[in-house]
Amino acid sequence: MLDRAVVEEFCEDEFEDLELEIPDDTDKEALIEAFCQYVEDDYYEWLKDNFKSFFDHGDPDWDWIKGRIKHYCKG
């Protein structure tokens, strides 16, 4: 779940950079919530796809996975 305050700050910065303004008839909190849910929906699908790839659709190559562990968990 996204931190709504962080997303709001991010959006404010992006709006400023792009010189965009939220229309007067659009509630800022509702806009941020809708954007967060949009991102979370997309993120969940992305996560599912990557899970399938990483674990080779239920037939994981554990030697490859151990290599990824070594690569990412150095230290």
Side-chain angles (χ1 to χ4, degrees):
M1 176 158 268
L2 296 173
D3 182 325
R4 270 43 179 174
V6 170
V7 173
E8 182 176 354
E9 185 177 325
F10 171 81
C11 287
E12 287 172 352
D13 289 344
E14 291 299 310
F15 285 156
E16 186 176 316
D17 289 348
L18 296 171
E19 298 179 2
L20 292 175
E21 291 184 22
I22 299 171
D24 291 336
D25 63 346
T26 302
D27 180 70
K28 183 179 175 184
E29 285 185 30
L31 175 63
I32 298 302
E33 183 59 30
F35 180 68
C36 285
Q37 289 186 27
Y38 173 82
V39 170
E40 289 169 348
D41 288 347
D42 188 55
Y43 177 73
Y44 183 70
E45 290 303 315
W46 172 83
L47 193 58
K48 286 188 343 187
D49 288 344
N50 278 282
F51 183 89
K52 289 175 189 174
S53 295
F54 191 86
F55 293 102
D56 198 14
H57 301 272
D59 187 23
D61 178 347
W62 290 108
D63 290 331
W64 180 84
I65 291 172
K66 289 174 187 174
R68 296 290 80 202
I69 292 169
K70 286 180 184 175
H71 176 78
Y72 291 116
C73 300
K74 296 176 187 172

